[in-house]
């Protein structure tokens, strides 16, 4: 049950009211989206405590920045899940960077064979190429592919999280994969 909002009021309308400072509307947005945000954060972070922190941060950000929501660009749910995705991925990247710094420090202390260095360089180069090609895709193709490949979501889960028809998501993913393949082939 939502806090003081109409039970069937769409989240987009609640978000518009939230942008105007309506606390009851925000309570409705919170009730409607806190579980999907938590679920997405859990899938990305694989740690309930960190997912709770990210969820809290995202919902605070929604309250503070609701005026940035543009209904002509997508649903409120997709906007909030995009915020959650970015925040969770930033947290993962931060942890990865910390781990990589620690590993580099350990590597400097140890003697490494040339083949290990070459292999690491090739792996880093390949990751950079994939990230560059992924970044070159249109947002409509990039977001579903990112959700599918980096969070392990099925196209049905991607469609649900983006509030987009399954067939549309499948088509966008197929187009994105074709563009990604062409980019990687051109880059090699």
């Amino acid at each position: 049950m939502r806090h003081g909002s109409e039970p069937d009021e769409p989240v987009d309308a609640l978000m518009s009211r939230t942008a105007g400072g309506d606390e009851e509307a925000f309570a409705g947005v919170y009730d409607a989206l806190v579980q999907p945000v938590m679920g997405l954060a859990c899938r990305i972070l694989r740690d309930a405590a960190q997912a709770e922190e990210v969820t809290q941060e995202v919902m605070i950000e929604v309250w503070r920045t609701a005026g940035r929501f543009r209904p002509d660009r997508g649903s409120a749910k997709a906007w909030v899940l995009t915020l959650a995705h970015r925040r969770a991925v930033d947290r993962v990247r931060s942890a990865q960077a910390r781990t990589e710094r620690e590993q580099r420090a350990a590597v400097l202390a140890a003697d490494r064979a040339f083949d290990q260095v070459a292999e690491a360089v090739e792996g880093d180069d390949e990751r950079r190429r994939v990230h560059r090609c992924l970044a070159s895709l249109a947002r409509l193709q990039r977001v579903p592919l990112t959700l599918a490949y980096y969070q392990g979501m099925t196209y049905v889960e991607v469609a649900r999280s983006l509030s987009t028809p399954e067939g549309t998501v499948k088509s966008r993913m197929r187009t994105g994969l074709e563009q990604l393949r062409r980019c990687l082939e051109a880059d090699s």
Side-chain angles (χ1 to χ4, degrees):
M1 177 95 158
R2 294 196 176 139
H3 300 85
S5 65
E6 295 299 317
D8 293 328
E9 188 170 4
V11 178
D12 290 5
L14 291 171
M15 186 66 74
S16 296
R17 288 180 36 213
T18 299
D22 186 331
E23 292 179 20
E24 287 184 22
F26 175 69
V29 169
Y30 183 94
D31 288 346
L33 299 179
V34 71
Q35 289 303 318
V37 168
M38 180 68 174
L40 177 63
C42 276
R43 279 193 299 274
I44 295 170
L45 297 166
R46 306 209 188 280
D47 180 298
Q50 284 194 40
E52 287 175 6
E53 289 177 21
V54 165
T55 300
Q56 182 179 11
E57 291 168 6
V58 168
M59 297 315 290
I60 290 169
E61 184 177 358
V62 167
W63 169 248
R64 287 184 19 246
T65 64
R68 294 182 189 164
F69 167 64
R70 298 289 174 254
D72 58 321
R73 292 187 174 178
S75 70
K77 182 177 182 178
W79 182 70
V80 172
L81 288 174
T82 300
L83 294 176
H85 176 263
R86 289 179 182 156
R87 183 71 58 120
V89 167
D90 286 347
R91 175 102 29 139
V92 168
R93 286 181 180 151
S94 175
Q96 284 177 331
R98 184 175 49 254
T99 300
E100 288 172 4
R101 279 192 306 273
E102 291 169 0
Q103 288 174 344
R104 280 193 303 270
V107 165
L108 290 175
D111 228 5
R112 290 186 58 171
F114 177 76
D115 288 342
Q116 290 174 323
V117 172
E119 191 173 312
V121 168
E122 287 175 14
D124 288 346
D125 183 50
E126 188 172 321
R127 272 191 294 281
R128 275 192 290 275
R129 286 179 39 226
V130 169
H131 284 287
R132 188 184 54 72
C133 286
L134 194 56
S136 73
L137 296 177
R139 185 177 183 279
L140 290 174
Q141 283 84 36
R142 183 178 62 252
V143 171
L145 287 176
T146 301
L147 290 174
Y149 288 97
Y150 289 102
Q151 280 85 58
M153 297 172 77
T154 66
Y155 79 90
V156 174
E157 291 171 325
V158 170
R160 200 173 308 125
S161 73
L162 297 177
S163 301
T164 305
E166 291 175 15
T168 302
V169 167
K170 232 178 182 178
S171 175
R172 288 176 181 170
M173 289 175 74
R174 188 178 314 110
T175 301
L177 285 171
E178 289 170 7
Q179 292 174 354
L180 191 60
R181 180 185 50 79
R182 283 194 300 272
C183 179
L184 289 170
E185 286 174 353
D187 201 29
S188 57

